[in-house]
């Protein structure tokens, strides 16, 4: 039995995806509780029936959260069925399955991130918009398959496509030349252009003023690229390196069967989205947890400051200006009325009446802010997406690349990496991870040959090493009679010099379920150094069991020094230990 659900505030299922085994269980329980007729044989099970079956485990969790601020995140039945809970803006995410709890949590976290990518703060759209619901289902299925088969996706990263420096330079020049017309359109001036070949990242070009993409953004765009047919356009909400919500128009164009071009254009008024998103996050947290008499006044002050930030950010907005000004005034009037009423109640009423008023008024304010968000971005998407300039630059890039497409070969990459790995006696496989930009470098491996190393064994070992990293370990060598596994993590400054963290703290977060895990751990280790000046790297190595530890260390040093030469980036000397 396996199922994934997103449940709204009024116990309405917004999204569901479950297998036949779980459906049979729902039908069985529905009949046992009188919800279905004994002769029920319909193919589609009504979501209301499913919700009534799920109601006990949903309501109990919400009651514990809202009444006692003591929500639980996991249930385990006597039959080993695992139920995992998560939450986003008051929407409940539910994963049911017989898998390992860590893997079930990883799937649920991916669902939360992809739903946020598609809908932003308004997850309710999944119930009303069939295209968004279908896109989420497709993205989740692609991600789950890739998480099982692709080592980059399993590590929440994107793999580099390895080509010569000359070819890479030519591609970047061609991309830059094809995008020069975008400068004429002011709303398209901030953009990222990405090329994926055979699912690997071939090239990235970013305009000067655009915000950097985070590692999670890059992976999500990679997964989204699997949905490109001839050409498609999507409205998505990325996070960037330092933000919460940045709306982007992503135009995808398939140049060849294996080469896909994606143009991610940052909205001109993305700052407004970030402020609204952070305000909604704060207000939903207040709404979904019991209010304390000691801090309700402080919450009012924080809410007032957040609303003022939104109204200030709207002054520089140039999209849907009339509608946004009208919605901004509506937000201001609603909040002013709430604040005035609160001040009156605070003087003459009991704490219970004050909190009751505040809790009853918040949903209206939250809905008003979501409507403002919709007006600014969802309603302006289609006019921007239909701009012919997007197709023009894509066709121009295709013509520019025609002369060098023959040099973009997967076989050439395999040959180059085989020659590289042959320089290290006893080395079977490795993955070099750049945590700062979310990319990996690794040789191709035939996972069908399981005699020495299977994909399952390798991925299980990676997960184990990540658990040790979570405990604060920066290096690990694990030997068995047949194989030797090793893992190293280190940090460099912007000049490539090794940085030595004195104490590596343990973390309560799993690297695979936290979008900014590496950013948080780096900030903890180097609090006085700007994040942009620090690079974080991981290296996974698999050797034959006969290889001793000294040789493993020597190989790790050499790979750390020379690996960037393969992708056309100057490397720097490094001593890991």
């Amino acid at each position: 039995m396996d199922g994934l659900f997103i449940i709204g505030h009024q116990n309405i299922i917004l999204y569901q995806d479950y297998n036949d085994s779980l459906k049979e269980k729902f039908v069985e329980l529905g009949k046992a509780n009188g919800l279905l007729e004994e002769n029920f044989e319909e193919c589609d099970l009504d979501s209301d029936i499913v919700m009534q079956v799920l109601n006990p485990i949903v309501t109990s969790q919400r009651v514990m959260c809202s009444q006692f601020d003591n929500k639980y995140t996991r249930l385990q039945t006597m039959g080993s069925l695992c139920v995992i809970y998560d939450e986003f803006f008051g929407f409940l995410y539910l994963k049911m399955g017989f898998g390992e709890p860590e893997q079930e949590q990883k799937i649920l976290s991916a669902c939360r991130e992809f739903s946020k990518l598609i809908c932003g703060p308004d997850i309710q759209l999944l119930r009303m918009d069939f295209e968004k619901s279908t896109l989420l289902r497709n993205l989740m299925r692609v991600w789950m398959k890739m998480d099982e088969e692709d080592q980059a996706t399993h590590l929440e990263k994107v793999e580099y496509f390895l080509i010569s420096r000359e070819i890479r330079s030519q591609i970047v020049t061609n991309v830059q030349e094809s995008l020069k017309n975008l400068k004429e359109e002011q709303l398209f001036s901030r953009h990222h252009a990405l090329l994926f070949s055979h699912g690997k990242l071939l090239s990235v070009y970013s305009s000067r003023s655009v915000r950097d993409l985070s590692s999670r953004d890059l992976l999500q765009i990679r997964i989204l690229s699997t949905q490109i047919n001839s050409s498609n356009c999507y409205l998505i909400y990325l996070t960037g390196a330092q933000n919460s919500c940045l709306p982007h128009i992503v135009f995808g164009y398939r140049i060849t069967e294996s080469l896909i071009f994606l143009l991610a254009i940052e909205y001109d008024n993305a700052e407004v989205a970030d402020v609204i998103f952070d305000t909604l996050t704060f207000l939903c947290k207040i709404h979904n947890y019991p209010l304390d008499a000691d801090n309700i006044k402080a919450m009012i002050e924080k809410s007032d400051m957040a609303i003022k930030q939104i109204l200030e950010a709207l002054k520089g907005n140039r999209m849907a200006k009339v509608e946004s000004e009208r919605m901004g005034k509506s937000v201001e009037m609603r909040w002013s009325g709430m604040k005035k009423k609160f001040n009156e109640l605070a003087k003459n009423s009991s704490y219970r009446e004050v909190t009751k008023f505040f809790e009853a008024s918040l949903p209206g304010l939250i809905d008003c802010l979501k409507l403002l968000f919709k007006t600014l971005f969802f309603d302006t998407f289609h006019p921007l997406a239909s701009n012919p300039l997007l197709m023009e630059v894509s066709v121009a890039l295709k013509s520019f690349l025609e002369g060098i497409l023959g040099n973009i070969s997967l076989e050439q990459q395999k040959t180059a990496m085989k020659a590289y790995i042959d320089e290290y006696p006893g080395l079977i496989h490795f993955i070099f991870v750049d945590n700062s930009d979310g990319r990996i470098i690794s040789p191709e491996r035939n996972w069908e040959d399981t005699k020495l190393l299977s994909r399952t064994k390798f991925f299980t070992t990676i997960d184990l090493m990540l658990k040790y990293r979570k405990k604060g370990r920066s290096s690990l060598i694990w030997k068995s009679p047949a194989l030797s596994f090793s893992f190293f993590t280190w940090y460099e400054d912007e000049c490539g010099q090794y940085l030595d963290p004195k104490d590596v703290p343990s973390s309560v977060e799993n690297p695979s379920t936290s979008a900014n895990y590496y950013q948080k751990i780096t900030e903890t280790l180097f609090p006085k150094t700007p994040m942009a000046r620090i690079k974080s790297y991981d290296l996974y190595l698999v050797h034959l069991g006969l290889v001793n530890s000294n040789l493993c260390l020597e190989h790790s040093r050499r790979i750390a020094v020379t690996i960037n030469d393969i992708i056309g980036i100057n490397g720097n000397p490094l001593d890991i230990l």
Side-chain angles (χ1 to χ4, degrees), residues 312-345:
E312 184 65 30
L314 281 173
K315 292 179 180 179
N317 174 61
R318 290 180 293 181
M319 298 181 65
K321 193 169 181 64
V322 175
E323 293 84 354
S324 63
E325 286 180 355
R326 179 175 58 82
M327 289 301 304
K329 290 178 180 178
S330 177
V331 171
E332 185 177 17
M333 289 175 62
R334 182 178 287 271
W335 174 246
S336 297
M338 284 179 60
K339 190 169 62 170
K340 182 179 178 181
K341 183 68 174 177
F342 167 79
N343 290 331
E344 292 175 358
L345 290 173

Side-chain angles (χ1 to χ4, degrees), residues 178-197:
S178 64
L179 297 179
K180 65 180 182 181
N181 289 338
L182 288 181
K183 297 177 182 178
E184 300 174 5
E185 179 58 69
Q186 190 173 14
L187 297 177
F188 292 168
S189 61
R190 295 189 289 191
H191 55 264
H192 300 278
L194 304 98
L195 279 169
F196 288 94
S197 179

Side-chain angles (χ1 to χ4, degrees), residues 282 286 297-307 335:
F282 172 69
I286 296 174
K297 187 175 180 180
M299 287 183 176
I300 292 291
E301 291 175 354
K302 288 182 180 178
S303 300
D304 189 48
M305 187 180 299
I307 297 298
W335 174 246

Side-chain angles (χ1 to χ4, degrees), residues 78-350:
M78 294 180 66
S80 298
L81 178 67
C82 188
V83 181
I84 305 291
Y85 299 89
D86 204 345
E87 196 176 51
F88 178 66
F89 279 127
F91 299 100
L92 186 64
Y93 289 69
L94 197 67
K95 176 67 175 73
M96 306 175 71
F98 287 104
E100 291 295 324
E102 291 82 3
Q103 182 62 22
E104 298 293 320
Q105 177 63 61
K106 187 177 182 180
I107 294 172
L108 191 61
S109 297
C111 180
R112 184 194 64 216
E113 293 299 324
F114 279 123
S115 62
K116 174 185 170 185
L117 176 80
I118 297 169
C119 302
D122 196 3
I123 307 300
Q124 192 81 25
L125 289 172
L126 290 173
R127 181 176 173 83
M128 301 179 288
D129 193 322
F130 177 76
E131 289 185 5
K132 289 186 180 296
S133 179
T134 302
L135 179 59
L136 176 59
R137 183 171 287 105
N138 291 341
L139 293 179
M140 281 303 301
R141 290 178 179 178
V142 168
W143 176 85
M144 285 191 283
K145 185 176 181 356
M146 291 178 62
D147 184 61
E148 293 178 354
E149 300 178 357
D150 179 59
Q151 58 187 10
T153 306
H154 192 78
L155 285 166
E156 300 281 333
K157 302 291 186 290
V158 172
E159 186 169 354
Y160 254 130
F161 192 99
L162 305 182
I163 50 178
S164 67
R165 293 188 184 188
E166 293 75 16
I167 299 299
R168 190 178 300 281
S169 177
Q170 277 185 269
I171 291 174
V172 172
T173 301
N174 289 333
V175 171
Q176 188 174 5
E177 181 66 22
S178 64
L179 297 179
K180 65 180 182 181
N181 289 338
L182 288 181
K183 297 177 182 178
E184 300 174 5
E185 179 58 69
Q186 190 173 14
L187 297 177
F188 292 168
S189 61
R190 295 189 289 191
H191 55 264
H192 300 278
L194 304 98
L195 279 169
F196 288 94
S197 179
H198 298 88
K200 303 178 191 294
L201 183 63
L202 182 64
S203 177
V204 178
Y205 170 79
S206 302
S207 62
R208 288 185 179 181
S209 56
V210 71
R211 293 172 177 81
D212 292 337
L213 297 174
S214 68
S215 299
R216 180 61 59 85
D217 292 340
L218 202 58
L219 176 64
Q220 289 178 333
I221 292 174
R222 159 72 183 94
I223 303 294
L224 186 65
S225 71
T226 63
Q227 305 302 303
I228 305 300
N229 298 317
S230 56
S231 64
N232 301 81
C233 200
Y234 300 99
L235 169 62
I236 63 173
Y237 304 92
L238 303 173
T239 61
Q242 301 288 336
N243 300 89
S244 302
C245 180
L246 296 176
H248 282 71
I249 297 170
V250 173
F251 181 80
Y253 181 75
R254 189 173 287 274
I255 296 176
T256 66
E257 186 63 30
S258 59
L259 186 62
I260 298 174
F261 168 64
L262 291 110
L263 182 62
I265 301 172
E266 182 183 313
Y267 262 72
D268 183 62
N269 55 351
E271 299 87 351
V272 184
D274 206 41
V275 176
I276 295 176
F277 188 90
D278 288 341
T279 303
L280 282 169
T281 302
F282 172 69
L283 294 177
C284 287
K285 186 175 181 181
I286 296 174
H287 180 56
N288 295 319
Y289 290 86
L291 290 172
D292 189 344
D294 296 331
N295 59 19
I296 188 170
K297 187 175 180 180
M299 287 183 176
I300 292 291
E301 291 175 354
K302 288 182 180 178
S303 300
D304 189 48
M305 187 180 299
I307 297 298
K308 287 179 180 178
Q309 287 178 342
I310 292 175
L311 298 174
E312 184 65 30
L314 281 173
K315 292 179 180 179
N317 174 61
R318 290 180 293 181
M319 298 181 65
K321 193 169 181 64
V322 175
E323 293 84 354
S324 63
E325 286 180 355
R326 179 175 58 82
M327 289 301 304
K329 290 178 180 178
S330 177
V331 171
E332 185 177 17
M333 289 175 62
R334 182 178 287 271
W335 174 246
S336 297
M338 284 179 60
K339 190 169 62 170
K340 182 179 178 181
K341 183 68 174 177
F342 167 79
N343 290 331
E344 292 175 358
L345 290 173
K347 295 177 181 177
N348 307 313
S349 306
S350 65

